[in-house]
Amino acid sequence: MGDTLNQSLGKGKWSIKQAISDDHTPFQSYDPEMYVKERAYEWYTAEEIKRLKERRNNTLQLLAKDIWEQSGLHPEEGIMTVQILAETIALHEHHHLDQIKSIISMEQC
């Protein structure tokens, strides 16, 4: 568990442990367009996406209950708890899934 919480997404990026270790630790800002471009998600297979989701879910399950109430400083939204940040990310994912479903349904017409 300790290794997973100490891993960052890349050079200069914070780990989960760093993000939740102090109250109001700044959450790292990023350019969402560049984030997607760098990861080239359009080349991912369904199985790779499934593994990414499983890894994220496994990491979230490692967080102790008290960690969900700790807060950080979001660059645009201000102070947010870990729980609110996770819920925001989940809602954002649902938004993208709805977009994908809409595109697929238009292609089938």
Side-chain angles (χ1 to χ4, degrees):
M1 172 171 104
D3 287 341
T4 300
L5 297 180
N6 284 317
Q7 290 178 348
S8 72
L9 293 176
K11 186 177 180 180
K13 308 287 184 190
W14 44 262
S15 69
I16 292 172
K17 188 171 184 176
Q18 289 171 317
I20 59 178
S21 62
D22 297 315
D23 240 7
H24 311 308
T25 298
F27 293 130
Q28 188 149 0
S29 181
Y30 68 96
D31 177 348
E33 299 295 325
M34 186 60 68
Y35 183 86
V36 170
K37 205 177 270 189
E38 287 175 354
R39 282 155 184 78
Y41 288 125
E42 68 272 17
W43 299 106
Y44 280 41
T45 65
E47 186 60 35
E48 289 170 321
I49 292 170
K50 182 180 177 184
R51 283 196 303 267
L52 284 172
K53 281 181 66 176
E54 287 171 355
R55 189 172 61 197
R56 185 211 45 226
N57 291 340
N58 290 340
T59 299
L60 290 174
Q61 288 178 8
L62 293 174
L63 299 178
K65 288 184 180 185
D66 61 331
I67 297 219
W68 290 96
E69 293 306 314
Q70 290 187 13
S71 58
L73 184 60
H74 188 280
E76 288 94 25
E77 304 296 328
I79 296 171
M80 298 178 82
T81 63
V82 172
Q83 180 175 344
I84 296 297
L85 180 62
E87 289 172 359
T88 302
I89 292 168
L91 288 172
H92 190 77
E93 284 183 359
H94 282 287
H95 168 73
H96 285 286
L97 288 173
D98 288 342
Q99 289 176 327
I100 292 167
K101 289 175 187 176
S102 177
I103 290 167
I104 290 171
S105 69
M106 286 191 304
E107 289 177 354
Q108 293 174 348
C109 293

